[in-house]
Amino acid sequence: KIYKYDYNGKLIKKIEKKGSGYGEFNCICGITINKKNENIILSDSINERIQFFDKDFNFIKTIEEKDFK
């Protein structure tokens, strides 16, 4: 699960869908934020992919492990 809070600690948005569809996860093992555009990049070791979201947690794209071969 990934949560986004405002500066006062109020929950704004969350990503918590478990599964293998777009925007879903089974094991988030890495997270980073692109400082240039504030996109959120999450890696999922079980689904073998990296997913990109905008700063409001809207799904952008997926790169799957097979795309690297």
Side-chain angles (χ1 to χ4, degrees):
K1 298 178 182 180
I2 305 294
Y3 299 97
K4 182 177 182 179
Y5 295 90
D6 68 13
Y7 288 105
N8 296 315
K10 180 181 176 187
L11 178 64
I12 299 172
K13 197 137 188 179
K14 59 187 171 181
I15 298 175
E16 62 178 347
K17 292 183 180 179
K18 186 170 184 164
S20 57
Y22 293 130
E24 297 177 343
F25 299 90
N26 280 303
C27 183
I28 296 173
C29 61
I31 182 172
T32 191
I33 297 174
N34 181 327
K35 289 183 181 183
K36 182 178 178 181
N37 57 21
E38 298 182 7
N39 286 345
I40 302 160
I41 305 164
L42 302 169
S43 62
D44 182 341
S45 62
I46 292 178
N47 287 326
E48 298 179 328
R49 65 185 180 188
I50 299 170
Q51 295 197 77
F52 295 76
F53 296 83
D54 67 16
K55 64 182 178 181
D56 295 316
F57 290 4
N58 297 305
F59 176 79
I60 298 172
K61 69 178 181 177
T62 293
I63 299 175
E64 296 189 25
E65 188 268 339
K66 66 181 180 178
D67 297 331
F68 293 105
K69 292 183 179 181

